Amino acid sequence: MPYSAETMKLQQVGIPDLRPEEQFIINCIRNEFSRVDNHSLSAAGCADIRWEAVFETALRWNIAPMLYRIIKNQTNIPNAPPIPDAVLKGMEAAYIKTYMVNQSNFLELTAIIKALTAAGIRVILLKGAHLAPFVYQDMGMRWMADIDILIRRADLHQANDILIKMGYSYPYVNGTAVWDDFGKRKEVGDQAAVIDWYKAHHMHLNYFNPNGLQNLELHWGIARNASPFAIDTEGLWERAQAEDLRGTPVHVLSPEDLILHISLHDAYYHHLRLFGLRPCCDIAMVVRRFSAQIVWERIYDRAREWKIERYVYLMLRLSNELFGIDTPKDLLRSNETKRCSDPVFLQAARRLLCKELDKPAFKGMNYPSEIHPFDSSQSLFDKIGFFLKRIPISREKLASRYSIPSASKRIHIYRLARLSALIFSYSLVYMHYFWFRLKHGQDHRGDYTFDLWLTSPESGQRKGIV
């Protein structure tokens, strides 16, 4: 199958060869979102495609319902390849399921918004709740794992009472302990104290109703209090746009704020791990739908003000190079390119395409794919203790890991082998980081591992990381 110029650019950076099924999907999406003619979906070029793998890949990339509508919309492309009915029916089933679930959820969401509005509480729809009805304008294209809405913090107590009266509860608030942003357990008292802690330190509460929404996230912000960002939450309200949801007045983010939020949510909070290509498709759809309204200078300026430039740059660059979205020509030549080297971008693209390399450094020791962020209040001994606590391991676990009998006299040799593996694996990541810190100081622009790039200090950000 012929590759587009943009895909060739990606491969020059080092992305592994795309399988024919993957290339077919990306070409379909590019035909939908790019203004450049990319009609490379010829029957001859699709001869090697395993069509069942197209559906499997679309599911893995979280875009099966969307791909179905895109393919149906592109049936008039000259020389389009014949797609087996079984594959189309599988994608159609995903689309219909998404449509039906969303229709049911939005009926309940409308009732919630009416109740909140009647109490004088203004509501902004976030993420999928905004995208499905008002950006995609097709309830079947955009799957949602949860429903997110934003209210003002001052309305939180009243909104909570309304939801409780409607049969909602807190499914994830159990016990008397919480875990802070650094994974540290804290005892805070009873359940009421746990909820109060979330309200003071978090950005949302999860609600559940067996006869309503299975997962409603009630937000009062889009970043946690302890985050390194400077989100202008009040500005979100000032720029919010009025919409009509099934006859009920509601508000949504401005197109610029929507792009910023999608970028922050997927790149920073989820490290591109959970949603496959869907967030980049979201951005592509926003750009296509509001191309005449988007003021790119506002996005750049606001990203700098919020201190989220790297995440916005990364998501826009991925969307641009994968799908050819219509962004300003100087976007990829901004100063942010100095902060995202080709090796870092390659890792991001690999993860997005589910092609990330994560091979064990040694047998019995997996390469640490996540960087541990330390609390800046922790002492040096606490930080050293983080690594020391990972050394002890039971005889049985060690034997199982190295496939030897637990009674074997060689067990002590394998303890030394595992210790060496631990030192080697952590050194690969942290020593590289320490070297950059020594060489460049706090305000460095390293090209080390992707996760460290996402969470490393920048202009004072995340100084809790060693």
Side-chain angles (χ1 to χ4, degrees):
M1 174 178 293
Y3 290 151
S4 66
E6 300 298 333
T7 304
M8 290 300 292
K9 278 172 57 183
L10 284 174
Q11 291 181 336
Q12 288 171 7
V13 174
I15 290 179
D17 291 341
L18 295 170
R19 298 196 305 271
E21 299 82 13
E22 296 168 333
Q23 184 64 56
F24 170 77
I25 293 174
I26 289 177
N27 282 349
C28 285
I29 299 174
R30 287 186 63 83
N31 273 301
E32 184 74 9
F33 294 123
S34 176
R35 291 188 176 183
V36 179
D37 289 335
N38 296 293
H39 300 326
S40 55
L41 307 181
S42 66
C46 296
D48 297 330
I49 288 180
R50 293 185 304 110
W51 290 106
E52 67 279 3
V54 170
F55 184 40
E56 294 168 0
T57 302
L59 287 173
R60 189 168 65 252
W61 286 352
N62 284 279
I63 57 168
M66 186 187 312
L67 182 63
Y68 170 73
R69 291 304 306 168
I70 288 175
I71 288 176
K72 295 295 286 186
N73 291 341
Q74 295 179 2
T75 54
N76 294 325
I77 295 177
N79 301 317
I83 303 175
D85 287 341
V87 175
L88 280 178
K89 286 180 179 178
M91 287 189 284
E92 183 183 23
Y95 170 83
I96 292 173
K97 177 182 178 182
T98 301
Y99 182 89
M100 298 301 292
V101 170
N102 283 349
Q103 285 283 17
S104 176
N105 285 340
F106 272 92
L107 281 173
E108 176 69 10
L109 177 61
T110 302
I112 291 172
I113 293 173
K114 284 182 177 179
L116 295 174
T117 302
I121 299 174
R122 192 178 173 198
V123 176
I124 293 179
L125 302 181
L126 297 177
K127 297 188 294 186
H130 174 186
L131 289 159
F134 300 116
V135 179
Y136 286 94
Q137 298 183 339
D138 184 333
M139 289 290 192
M141 288 184 71
R142 181 51 163 79
W143 173 259
M144 291 177 287
D146 50 34
I147 304 289
D148 301 79
I149 62 175
L150 177 71
I151 65 172
R152 283 191 165 92
R153 183 184 287 273
D155 294 326
L156 186 55
H157 181 75
Q158 187 179 10
N160 178 75
D161 288 344
I162 291 171
L163 289 172
I164 295 298
K165 289 178 181 178
M166 295 180 71
Y168 284 84
S169 61
Y170 311 100
Y172 305 116
V173 178
N174 297 308
T176 61
V178 297
W179 280 261
D180 63 17
D181 290 329
F182 302 99
K184 190 174 182 180
R185 179 186 170 96
K186 292 183 178 180
E187 287 287 340
V188 296
D190 56 13
Q191 187 185 69
V194 172
I195 294 170
D196 288 339
W197 184 91
Y198 270 92
K199 292 176 181 178
H201 297 90
H202 215 275
M203 60 180 171
H204 66 74
L205 272 171
N206 292 78
Y207 291 83
F208 168 82
N209 184 343
N211 300 313
L213 297 179
Q214 305 298 299
N215 192 355
L216 170 69
E217 288 191 359
L218 185 67
H219 285 252
W220 50 91
I222 62 172
R224 299 181 184 182
N225 288 358
S227 75
F229 312 121
I231 308 297
D232 175 22
T233 305
E234 191 57 35
L236 297 178
W237 288 100
E238 293 171 359
R239 295 184 293 270
Q241 300 176 352
E243 288 287 358
D244 183 276
L245 182 66
R246 300 174 182 269
T248 302
V250 73
H251 290 81
V252 297
L253 296 178
S254 69
E256 294 88 357
D257 287 341
L258 180 55
I259 290 174
L260 294 170
H261 187 206
I262 293 170
S263 301
L264 176 65
H265 180 258
D266 194 53
Y268 177 75
Y269 282 108
H270 293 293
H271 288 206
L272 307 186
R273 291 186 186 280
L274 295 185
F275 307 113
L277 291 183
R278 195 177 70 193
C280 286
C281 290
D282 290 344
I283 290 175
M285 182 62 83
V286 174
V287 172
R288 189 181 76 171
R289 181 75 63 192
F290 301 106
S291 59
Q293 297 176 233
I294 293 174
V295 181
W296 289 99
E297 289 76 12
R298 293 176 185 170
I299 293 179
Y300 302 148
D301 294 342
R302 211 164 290 158
R304 283 193 291 271
E305 291 170 5
W306 293 6
K307 301 179 182 178
I308 63 170
E309 303 103 310
R310 63 172 64 186
Y311 313 113
V312 176
Y313 169 81
L314 176 64
M315 294 301 292
L316 287 175
R317 181 178 173 187
L318 285 167
S319 302
N320 182 282
E321 296 199 15
L322 281 170
F323 304 146
I325 66 171
D326 187 21
T327 54
K329 293 182 179 179
D330 63 346
L331 169 67
L332 302 184
R333 294 197 297 269
S334 69
N335 290 335
E336 202 62 27
T337 56
K338 299 177 182 177
R339 303 170 187 171
C340 184
S341 64
D342 282 349
V344 170
F345 180 72
L346 167 60
Q347 279 191 276
R350 284 182 185 275
R351 181 171 297 174
L352 202 71
L353 297 168
C354 303
K355 290 179 173 290
E356 188 170 26
L357 301 180
D358 193 17
K359 297 180 179 179
F362 284 99
K363 185 177 179 181
M365 176 60 204
N366 290 330
Y367 186 88
S369 58
E370 292 189 12
I371 309 303
H372 179 75
F374 291 100
D375 187 336
S376 56
S377 65
Q378 289 179 276
S379 69
L380 176 61
F381 292 105
D382 289 333
K383 295 170 183 176
I384 294 174
F386 165 78
F387 298 101
L388 293 180
K389 284 188 294 186
R390 276 148 180 77
I391 295 177
I393 186 172
S394 69
R395 188 183 190 96
E396 291 72 20
K397 286 184 178 180
L398 187 67
S400 174
R401 185 165 293 186
Y402 286 96
S403 302
I404 61 173
S406 59
S408 173
K409 295 182 179 179
R410 296 177 295 161
I411 198 77
H412 300 296
I413 297 176
Y414 283 101
R415 286 194 184 278
L416 292 176
R418 181 176 175 275
L419 178 61
S420 300
L422 280 168
I423 294 172
F424 181 83
S425 296
Y426 281 114
S427 295
L428 285 177
V429 177
Y430 285 96
M431 291 308 294
H432 200 184
Y433 173 61
F434 286 136
W435 169 248
F436 269 89
R437 283 289 295 273
L438 289 172
K439 186 176 180 180
H440 301 286
Q442 291 283 354
D443 193 31
H444 61 268
R445 301 290 182 265
D447 66 350
Y448 30 78
T449 68
F450 175 53
D451 288 290
L452 189 53
W453 179 82
L454 284 173
T455 56
S456 62
E458 178 187 29
S459 302
Q461 292 186 17
R462 290 304 289 263
K463 291 183 179 177
I465 298 177
V466 177

